[in-house]
Amino acid sequence: MSTSTSTSERRGIPAAAFVEDVQTYLSQSNLDVNSALAFLQERLQQYRVVEMKLLAQQRDLQAKIPDIEKCLDALETLQANKDTDKEIIADFEVSEGIYSRARVENTDSVCLWLGANVMLEYSCEEATTLLLNNLENAKASLEVLVADLLFLRDQVTITQVTIARVYNWDVHQRRLRQAATPMSEP
């Protein structure tokens, strides 16, 4: 058997086949060594591009989760002080590096940015439910992303090992051909 028979993929990421026997792999694939190496290098490059995209998504989610948690903490503080006449003094970021101080009086609703320059007003209970749902979805998405990255790293490793095996097999074949060719004397 020349390659593993697993041709599965994970969320659109094709699985790399582990090559046990290079010669059989080349003959079954109808490839010469240079074509096989070019194909494998291209696949490796595709894996790297996907890895960069997944890492960017992971960074975005890792930044999003603390923001959601901060919003939930602020809502909890608002709700805890809802029935008291105590004002809350809060500092908030207006723009990057620019902060302002606000006095928040008793409120039953909050406004949340939904993205795409859209802000909606929600009751505190609705906002809490929405944010908890968003937090749960973000954490679940992060788990899937981490699993995808692990799968992808395995595929990169398998592809790198296959490239090394094909290259080493080619070097070995060249040496055998060179040893089999009688040297002409001067």
Side-chain angles (χ1 to χ4, degrees), residues 163-180:
I163 289 170
R165 288 178 139 221
V166 170
Y167 180 79
N168 290 338
W169 178 85
D170 184 45
V171 169
H172 181 69
Q173 294 302 310
R174 287 182 193 182
R175 286 183 181 157
L176 288 176
R177 283 192 300 269
Q178 190 177 29

Side-chain angles (χ1 to χ4, degrees), residues 44 59 132 161 176:
L44 188 61
R59 278 190 305 274
L132 285 172
V161 167
L176 288 176

